[in-house]
Amino acid sequence: PPRPCEAYRAEWKLCRSARHFLHHYYVHGERPACEQWRRDLASCREWEERRSAEAQRSLCESERARVQAARKHALVWALRQSPPADWHLPLPQEEKD
């Protein structure tokens, strides 16, 4: 499998924690989906115990989907390589009415 089973167990346990639930609900407005972590943990255990090809395939597909989802969210801001040329000048004063 791509990762040890303890990593899947830790992710599943974190997903079910009250702190993660509150944070996820506050940010996204919905409950976190922890079912995939449970399935990955079960597949990993099946792979370790029985060397099931189906369990290994399931884990690899899940990891690919997770990587693709992470790549989908690109940076919003373009990172600078150097500061602007006029960074040291004072800011323009707004006209007071």
Side-chain angles (χ1 to χ4, degrees), residues 50-96:
R50 297 186 189 96
R51 297 290 186 208
S52 168
E54 179 64 27
Q56 185 182 24
R57 186 189 59 74
S58 172
L59 280 173
C60 289
E61 286 178 5
S62 177
E63 287 294 323
R64 276 191 213 102
R66 219 178 325 280
V67 168
Q68 289 297 330
R71 286 184 185 163
K72 182 175 73 172
H73 302 291
L75 292 175
V76 175
W77 304 103
L79 300 178
R80 293 184 189 159
Q81 300 301 322
S82 61
D86 60 351
W87 69 270
H88 63 286
L89 298 176
L91 294 174
Q93 297 296 324
E94 293 185 30
E95 294 180 26
K96 295 183 179 178

